[in-house]
Amino acid sequence: MKPSEKFAEGLNITEIGALFNISHPTVGRILYGFSPDGNSDEKSKRYQGSTVLSAIKRYYGATAGDGDPPLEKE
């Protein structure tokens, strides 16, 4: 599987932690309240990139002047 295909399916908590160098429990706290929106299965929940970025911005309190900028600007 190509990396681009893996990202299209979404990332699980372990992959998100490795990508951003964040511990597994912290990733769980960051994603609290967000529903998995990737190709989840019975073993793992997967999250799309936009969901992960929104969760990280909310958790760390990052805001832009009049709301969140579109992902294209980030």
Side-chain angles (χ1 to χ4, degrees):
M1 178 182 301
K2 296 178 184 178
S4 60
E5 292 172 346
K6 187 172 192 111
F7 282 110
E9 292 181 1
L11 300 171
N12 64 31
I13 290 177
T14 302
E15 294 165 335
I16 294 166
L19 181 64
F20 292 102
N21 195 26
I22 301 172
S23 70
H24 192 276
T26 303
V27 174
R29 286 191 296 274
I30 289 170
L31 292 172
Y32 180 78
F34 285 84
S35 298
D37 53 0
N39 292 336
S40 300
D41 55 23
E42 292 179 16
K43 294 182 181 180
S44 68
K45 298 174 183 171
R46 302 185 83 73
Y47 298 85
Q48 294 292 325
S50 60
T51 302
V52 173
L53 290 176
S54 294
I56 289 172
K57 288 192 304 185
R58 183 194 70 181
Y59 183 79
Y60 288 106
T63 57
D66 56 350
D68 292 335
L71 290 175
E72 293 81 20
K73 289 185 180 181
E74 293 182 18

